[in-house]
Structure formats: structure tokens, C-alpha cells
Amino acid sequence: MGDKKPSGTGAGVSNPDRNNAIFTTDELKHAFYDMVLIRRFEERAGQLYGMGLIGGFCHLYIGQEAVVVGVQMELRQGDKLITSYRDHGQMLAAGMDPRGVMAELTGREGGYSRGKGGSMHMFSREKNFYGGHGIVGAQVALGIGLAFANKYRGTDEVSIAYFGEGASNQGQVYESFNLAALHKLPCVFVIENNHYGMGTSVERASASKELWRNGEPWGIPGRKVDGMDVEAVRQAAREAVEYCREGKGPFLLEMATYRYRGHSMSDPAKYRPRSEVDEMRKNHDPIDRVRRELLTLGVEEAELKALEDKVKAIVADAADFAQSSPEPDPSELWTDVLVEG
């Protein structure tokens, strides 16, 4: 408890030049909307979990919204995403239907995996979202497989492989770095460093303190980014994605971010002081940061409230659908097991 205090800013962290804006006002409003949607969706999911309507594991993305929203704004049709079990934010940022995501959380037929995957295992070929994976670090190897497919097909599409700092020292991650560099695969590795791998501070778990440099033995360039600043995230993502599209190989981004809730809904997070969480919420919240900037740019408070009201209605509808959609028919136990030849 009370390990070295995490920080979303500081030396070595990339921040955008405010005199060279990375967002137009409309784009910043779009980022605000997307982050609020993720935040309110996750809060409602937490409530449904507390009511016993969501079973199994449930890992919330509250606090980390700027990471996925900033990266997503630099992607285009055909780019592919893969992540860990803290995946609801990636799904929503990719454009997946909140109804289908929430219904999967409650195990209903209307969910993306027809109620059989739950929080950690849902996919959308339409949105090029390849999961949601429960094995720590396993998605990174799959992510370079997606990048290999892009290169094999001769496209300039990229693969984004998200993983946490807790997975950053997994052997399969380093094997993936080696293969991606060897074959110059168009993969952006994104470390979402929220400073705690389950209940252990990264300061006590990793000998490497500069995770953005972990790819250097294979010649993979990296950047450390203020992951609580959506503009800094987008700027770094632009550099990384362009590097990959040009055929130069993989790129590594370490996003210094923070989760406000425990590792999962069953984690009371007693390994860190409440004052630490409060300080991050008060001084580094990614949504509040964008709200302040929009107000400074002359956007009316009423317009922001209208966006928030729209999000509130969407999340309420998703929650209602997730409770009214029927449970899967027992025959679904035999589907999606084998592919017919």
C-alpha cells in the first residue's frame, strides 16, 4: 500500500504542442462524446454487476478512456484491434453497438457472442475487433498475426495490440516483438500502464521502469505518452500508425494512465490509498480536461450537457435491452464450436 505515486504526466511523457492543435473543435467534441459514452457505460455495467445481473469477471475501463479514444481517431476502415479482458472501452470506441455489448455482459441472446462469451470474450468482424482475451499477454501474439495478414495481403492496414503493464514482461510479448521486428509487421503495441497489475504496483513488479523502451533490443521505436490527455494520445498514435503504414515495422507506445476502480469488480483495491485515486480524479481526469478545453474554445455548457444527455439515453436503452433480451437457447451450447468444412 502507498507505493510510489503514479503520474499521468512528467519527464519523458509526450504532450501535444497547444500552438499546433491536433483536434478541431468538432473533433474534440467527438472525443468528449466517446469518452463520456465509455465512462457512463462502464458505470452502468458496474451497477448491473452489483445487482447480480452480470456474472463472472468484469474489468471496468473507468479513467482510461483517453487512451482508446485517442488511438481510434487515427485509424481507418480495415485497421484491426485486439486487447485484453479490460475491453469494453475498445469495443465502444470501435463503434460496436452498446446494446450488443451490454447484452453480452448479462449473458443474453442479443449479445455479440449470443450470450456465451461474457465480458472478456466478444468480437466483431464488422468492426475489425478481435477480442477480448482472458489470458494475460496472449492477445499480443494474435495481434502480430493480424498484422502479418495485413502485410501478406499487401494492404497498408495496421493492427493495434493493447496490453497492460502487468503483461509487458510476459515471454510471449517479447517473442512477438522479435517476430514483428524481423518481418517488419505493421503493428502498434500499446501498453496501457495504469500502474497496477491486479494488486501489485509496477514499481515493484518490473525491473524495466521505462516500458516504452522495451522494444529497443529489436530496434522497435517507442514513446511514453500522457494517457490521460486524449490530444497527446492522438498525436502519438498518428506518429506510430504512419510509421507502420509506411512499411517500417512495429511501433511501441506506453500510455501512462490510471484506473479508478479495482482490477475487477471483485477487487476492493485496498493496496492503494483513497487519496491517490482522489488526486487523479481531481487533477488528471481525461474527460474533465477535454470539457475545460471545449469551454475555453467557446463551446456552450448547454451543448456539452446535450451530448451527455444523449449518452445517458443510449446507456439506459442498452441496460434495458440487456435485461429484456432472452437468455440463449440451450442448443447454442453446440454452436460456434467447429467451422463446417
Side-chain angles (χ1 to χ4, degrees):
M1 297 177 65
D3 285 304
K4 183 179 177 182
K5 180 180 172 182
S7 173
T9 59
V13 181
S14 173
N15 286 285
D17 181 352
R18 300 300 176 179
N19 295 319
N20 185 22
I22 197 77
F23 282 100
T24 64
T25 301
D26 284 344
E27 288 174 330
L28 199 59
K29 285 190 287 187
H30 178 70
F32 175 80
Y33 173 86
D34 283 351
M35 288 194 291
V36 171
L37 175 61
I38 295 170
R39 177 76 57 92
R40 300 296 173 248
F41 182 97
E42 293 290 66
E43 289 172 345
R44 188 71 176 116
Q47 292 171 357
L48 294 179
Y49 187 96
M51 295 164 61
L53 296 173
I54 295 175
F57 289 104
C58 185
H59 306 82
L60 302 183
Y61 203 69
I62 298 173
Q64 299 182 209
E65 299 89 353
V67 174
V68 69
V69 170
V71 171
Q72 193 68 33
M73 294 186 83
E74 283 303 307
L75 303 184
R76 63 193 191 202
Q77 184 66 34
D79 293 336
K80 298 166 179 64
L81 308 170
I82 194 165
T83 189
S84 67
Y85 40 75
R86 196 179 307 282
D87 52 2
H88 313 154
Q90 276 83 355
M91 297 172 194
L92 296 174
M96 291 171 65
D97 185 356
R99 277 185 156 208
V101 178
M102 194 73 85
E104 189 59 40
L105 297 183
T106 57
R108 303 304 177 99
E109 186 179 83
Y112 268 96
S113 295
R114 293 195 290 279
K116 299 183 292 182
S119 172
M120 299 189 290
H121 305 103
M122 60 183 105
F123 308 81
S124 172
R125 285 291 301 274
E126 177 192 4
K127 300 299 182 181
N128 288 305
F129 179 79
Y130 290 83
H133 294 270
I135 304 301
V136 176
Q139 74 277 10
V140 181
L142 298 175
I144 67 166
L146 294 171
F148 180 82
N150 291 337
K151 182 170 183 177
Y152 183 80
R153 292 168 179 155
T155 75
D156 67 350
E157 295 161 359
V158 303
S159 167
I160 310 295
Y162 292 94
F163 56 105
E165 83 292 336
S168 63
N169 288 310
Q170 287 275 327
Q172 58 196 324
V173 172
Y174 290 119
E175 290 179 37
S176 297
F177 286 173
N178 178 63
L179 280 172
L182 182 65
H183 295 287
K184 293 189 179 299
L185 300 181
C187 185
V188 179
F189 299 105
V190 181
I191 302 175
E192 297 189 89
N193 183 0
N194 62 28
H195 300 279
Y196 293 94
M198 297 188 73
T200 304
S201 167
V202 66
E203 297 293 331
R204 293 194 292 118
S206 179
S208 169
K209 306 305 180 186
E210 297 179 303
L211 304 182
W212 60 277
R213 302 185 67 175
N214 281 9
E216 287 185 354
W218 297 274
I220 300 175
R223 298 283 183 274
K224 184 174 183 181
V225 186
D226 181 357
M228 306 299 277
D229 182 346
V230 70
E231 294 184 78
V233 171
R234 186 182 186 186
Q235 186 176 62
R238 177 171 296 177
E239 178 187 6
V241 169
E242 287 179 354
Y243 185 91
C244 289
R245 288 205 204 283
E246 291 171 0
K248 297 178 180 178
F251 203 103
L252 175 62
L253 297 174
E254 177 190 350
M255 301 291 182
T257 185
Y258 195 81
R259 57 172 165 79
Y260 296 162
R261 300 290 184 93
H263 172 72
S264 68
M265 284 297 297
S266 60
D267 172 22
K270 293 182 178 179
Y271 42 82
R272 60 185 184 182
R274 182 65 198 178
S275 59
E276 178 183 293
V277 182
D278 291 342
E279 195 276 335
M280 292 299 293
R281 278 184 176 272
K282 180 179 178 181
N283 296 317
H284 300 283
D285 186 80
I287 296 175
D288 287 348
R289 184 195 296 254
V290 173
R291 181 194 300 276
R292 288 193 301 269
E293 185 150 350
L294 285 169
L295 292 173
T296 299
L297 290 170
V299 177
E300 297 291 335
E301 182 70 49
E303 184 175 357
L304 298 182
K305 186 179 186 305
L307 291 174
E308 292 178 296
D309 288 344
K310 181 179 179 181
V311 164
K312 183 178 179 181
I314 289 171
V315 171
D317 174 71
D320 290 342
F321 178 76
Q323 296 172 75
S324 62
S325 180
E327 294 187 353
D329 188 274
S331 63
E332 282 289 344
L333 287 170
W334 307 106
T335 64
D336 304 318
V337 178
L338 298 173
V339 177
E340 297 293 333

